[in-house]
mmCIF file of all heavy atoms in Angstrom:
data_model
loop_
_atom_site.group_PDB
_atom_site.id
_atom_site.type_symbol
_atom_site.label_atom_id
_atom_site.label_comp_id
_atom_site.label_asym_id
_atom_site.label_seq_id
_atom_site.Cartn_x
_atom_site.Cartn_y
_atom_site.Cartn_z
ATOM 1 N N TYR A 268 53.976 66.197 86.929
ATOM 2 C CA TYR A 268 55.098 66.994 86.440
ATOM 3 C C TYR A 268 54.888 67.335 84.969
ATOM 4 O O TYR A 268 53.957 66.865 84.325
ATOM 5 C CB TYR A 268 56.400 66.204 86.603
ATOM 6 C CG TYR A 268 56.579 65.098 85.578
ATOM 7 C CD1 TYR A 268 57.385 65.279 84.454
ATOM 8 C CD2 TYR A 268 55.919 63.900 85.724
ATOM 9 C CE1 TYR A 268 57.532 64.283 83.517
ATOM 10 C CE2 TYR A 268 56.059 62.895 84.782
ATOM 11 C CZ TYR A 268 56.867 63.088 83.687
ATOM 12 O OH TYR A 268 56.998 62.111 82.749
ATOM 13 N N GLN A 269 55.783 68.158 84.467
ATOM 14 C CA GLN A 269 55.857 68.370 83.025
ATOM 15 C C GLN A 269 57.338 68.483 82.683
ATOM 16 O O GLN A 269 58.181 68.533 83.567
ATOM 17 C CB GLN A 269 55.076 69.611 82.611
ATOM 18 C CG GLN A 269 55.608 70.896 83.198
ATOM 19 C CD GLN A 269 54.642 72.056 82.980
ATOM 20 O OE1 GLN A 269 53.432 71.898 82.981
ATOM 21 N NE2 GLN A 269 55.200 73.237 82.820
ATOM 22 N N LEU A 270 57.640 68.513 81.389
ATOM 23 C CA LEU A 270 59.039 68.623 81.008
ATOM 24 C C LEU A 270 59.362 70.077 80.717
ATOM 25 O O LEU A 270 58.552 70.813 80.169
ATOM 26 C CB LEU A 270 59.333 67.762 79.776
ATOM 27 C CG LEU A 270 59.212 66.257 79.983
ATOM 28 C CD1 LEU A 270 59.457 65.524 78.683
ATOM 29 C CD2 LEU A 270 60.188 65.779 81.048
ATOM 30 N N MET A 271 60.556 70.461 81.103
ATOM 31 C CA MET A 271 61.040 71.812 80.827
ATOM 32 C C MET A 271 61.155 71.988 79.303
ATOM 33 O O MET A 271 61.422 71.023 78.590
ATOM 34 C CB MET A 271 62.414 71.899 81.475
ATOM 35 C CG MET A 271 63.107 73.185 81.350
ATOM 36 S SD MET A 271 64.714 72.963 82.167
ATOM 37 C CE MET A 271 65.464 74.489 81.702
ATOM 38 N N ASP A 272 60.929 73.206 78.821
ATOM 39 C CA ASP A 272 61.046 73.448 77.382
ATOM 40 C C ASP A 272 62.522 73.489 76.994
ATOM 41 O O ASP A 272 63.238 74.403 77.409
ATOM 42 C CB ASP A 272 60.359 74.769 77.033
ATOM 43 C CG ASP A 272 60.475 75.082 75.555
ATOM 44 O OD1 ASP A 272 60.857 74.163 74.788
ATOM 45 O OD2 ASP A 272 60.191 76.228 75.165
ATOM 46 N N PRO A 273 63.000 72.519 76.211
ATOM 47 C CA PRO A 273 64.440 72.496 75.914
ATOM 48 C C PRO A 273 64.855 73.547 74.885
ATOM 49 O O PRO A 273 66.049 73.671 74.588
ATOM 50 C CB PRO A 273 64.670 71.081 75.380
ATOM 51 C CG PRO A 273 63.349 70.634 74.876
ATOM 52 C CD PRO A 273 62.291 71.383 75.620
ATOM 53 N N ALA A 274 63.893 74.310 74.346
ATOM 54 C CA ALA A 274 64.248 75.325 73.350
ATOM 55 C C ALA A 274 65.091 76.444 73.960
ATOM 56 O O ALA A 274 65.725 77.212 73.233
ATOM 57 C CB ALA A 274 62.984 75.906 72.723
ATOM 58 N N VAL A 275 65.110 76.534 75.320
ATOM 59 C CA VAL A 275 65.919 77.585 75.946
ATOM 60 C C VAL A 275 67.412 77.339 75.716
ATOM 61 O O VAL A 275 68.211 78.267 75.772
ATOM 62 C CB VAL A 275 65.632 77.720 77.459
ATOM 63 C CG1 VAL A 275 64.225 78.187 77.701
ATOM 64 C CG2 VAL A 275 65.898 76.416 78.187
ATOM 65 N N TYR A 276 67.770 76.076 75.449
ATOM 66 C CA TYR A 276 69.172 75.793 75.138
ATOM 67 C C TYR A 276 69.338 75.749 73.621
ATOM 68 O O TYR A 276 69.071 74.726 72.996
ATOM 69 C CB TYR A 276 69.608 74.463 75.765
ATOM 70 C CG TYR A 276 69.399 74.439 77.259
ATOM 71 C CD1 TYR A 276 68.406 73.668 77.829
ATOM 72 C CD2 TYR A 276 70.198 75.221 78.083
ATOM 73 C CE1 TYR A 276 68.207 73.672 79.204
ATOM 74 C CE2 TYR A 276 70.003 75.224 79.452
ATOM 75 C CZ TYR A 276 69.006 74.450 79.999
ATOM 76 O OH TYR A 276 68.809 74.462 81.354
ATOM 77 N N GLU A 277 69.718 76.875 73.066
ATOM 78 C CA GLU A 277 69.747 76.985 71.606
ATOM 79 C C GLU A 277 70.736 76.028 70.968
ATOM 80 O O GLU A 277 70.575 75.630 69.816
ATOM 81 C CB GLU A 277 70.081 78.417 71.201
ATOM 82 C CG GLU A 277 68.914 79.362 71.411
ATOM 83 C CD GLU A 277 69.265 80.796 71.088
ATOM 84 O OE1 GLU A 277 70.300 81.020 70.422
ATOM 85 O OE2 GLU A 277 68.513 81.687 71.515
ATOM 86 N N GLU A 278 71.778 75.622 71.728
ATOM 87 C CA GLU A 278 72.820 74.787 71.136
ATOM 88 C C GLU A 278 72.295 73.434 70.655
ATOM 89 O O GLU A 278 72.869 72.819 69.770
ATOM 90 C CB GLU A 278 73.981 74.598 72.114
ATOM 91 C CG GLU A 278 73.623 73.926 73.435
ATOM 92 C CD GLU A 278 73.267 74.907 74.541
ATOM 93 O OE1 GLU A 278 72.664 75.952 74.225
ATOM 94 O OE2 GLU A 278 73.581 74.634 75.711
ATOM 95 N N TYR A 279 71.169 72.977 71.242
ATOM 96 C CA TYR A 279 70.648 71.674 70.820
ATOM 97 C C TYR A 279 69.679 71.791 69.644
ATOM 98 O O TYR A 279 69.282 70.783 69.069
ATOM 99 C CB TYR A 279 69.953 70.971 71.989
ATOM 100 C CG TYR A 279 70.850 70.814 73.192
ATOM 101 C CD1 TYR A 279 70.479 71.327 74.430
ATOM 102 C CD2 TYR A 279 72.080 70.170 73.083
ATOM 103 C CE1 TYR A 279 71.315 71.197 75.534
ATOM 104 C CE2 TYR A 279 72.919 70.043 74.174
ATOM 105 C CZ TYR A 279 72.527 70.565 75.396
ATOM 106 O OH TYR A 279 73.359 70.444 76.471
ATOM 107 N N GLY A 280 69.269 73.005 69.333
ATOM 108 C CA GLY A 280 68.457 73.240 68.133
ATOM 109 C C GLY A 280 67.030 72.734 68.216
ATOM 110 O O GLY A 280 66.385 72.553 67.187
ATOM 111 N N TYR A 281 66.520 72.534 69.449
ATOM 112 C CA TYR A 281 65.131 72.089 69.547
ATOM 113 C C TYR A 281 64.208 73.225 69.108
ATOM 114 O O TYR A 281 64.382 74.368 69.505
ATOM 115 C CB TYR A 281 64.788 71.665 70.976
ATOM 116 C CG TYR A 281 63.362 71.200 71.123
ATOM 117 C CD1 TYR A 281 62.978 69.945 70.684
ATOM 118 C CD2 TYR A 281 62.381 72.037 71.658
ATOM 119 C CE1 TYR A 281 61.672 69.518 70.788
ATOM 120 C CE2 TYR A 281 61.071 71.623 71.768
ATOM 121 C CZ TYR A 281 60.723 70.357 71.331
ATOM 122 O OH TYR A 281 59.411 69.951 71.413
ATOM 123 N N GLY A 282 63.236 72.908 68.266
ATOM 124 C CA GLY A 282 62.343 73.932 67.745
ATOM 125 C C GLY A 282 62.872 74.526 66.455
ATOM 126 O O GLY A 282 62.133 75.128 65.684
ATOM 127 N N LYS A 283 64.186 74.343 66.203
ATOM 128 C CA LYS A 283 64.794 74.883 64.990
ATOM 129 C C LYS A 283 64.939 73.759 63.952
ATOM 130 O O LYS A 283 64.617 73.945 62.778
ATOM 131 C CB LYS A 283 66.158 75.483 65.338
ATOM 132 C CG LYS A 283 66.638 76.518 64.333
ATOM 133 C CD LYS A 283 67.657 77.483 64.936
ATOM 134 C CE LYS A 283 68.918 76.787 65.406
ATOM 135 N NZ LYS A 283 69.965 77.686 65.895
ATOM 136 N N TYR A 284 65.416 72.618 64.382
ATOM 137 C CA TYR A 284 65.557 71.461 63.484
ATOM 138 C C TYR A 284 64.477 70.440 63.829
ATOM 139 O O TYR A 284 64.389 70.014 64.977
ATOM 140 C CB TYR A 284 66.943 70.824 63.633
ATOM 141 C CG TYR A 284 68.074 71.828 63.641
ATOM 142 C CD1 TYR A 284 69.014 71.826 64.646
ATOM 143 C CD2 TYR A 284 68.178 72.791 62.629
ATOM 144 C CE1 TYR A 284 70.034 72.760 64.676
ATOM 145 C CE2 TYR A 284 69.193 73.717 62.641
ATOM 146 C CZ TYR A 284 70.123 73.710 63.670
ATOM 147 O OH TYR A 284 71.124 74.636 63.707
ATOM 148 N N PRO A 285 63.650 70.065 62.845
ATOM 149 C CA PRO A 285 62.532 69.163 63.163
ATOM 150 C C PRO A 285 62.976 67.790 63.674
ATOM 151 O O PRO A 285 62.213 67.119 64.357
ATOM 152 C CB PRO A 285 61.777 69.036 61.833
ATOM 153 C CG PRO A 285 62.700 69.561 60.794
ATOM 154 C CD PRO A 285 63.627 70.511 61.454
#
Side-chain angles (χ1 to χ4, degrees):
Chain A
Y268 75 99
Q269 63 191 34
L270 294 177
M271 181 182 172
D272 179 13
V275 295
Y276 303 109
E277 286 177 16
E278 60 268 35
Y279 304 123
Y281 180 77
K283 202 157 62 175
Y284 314 128

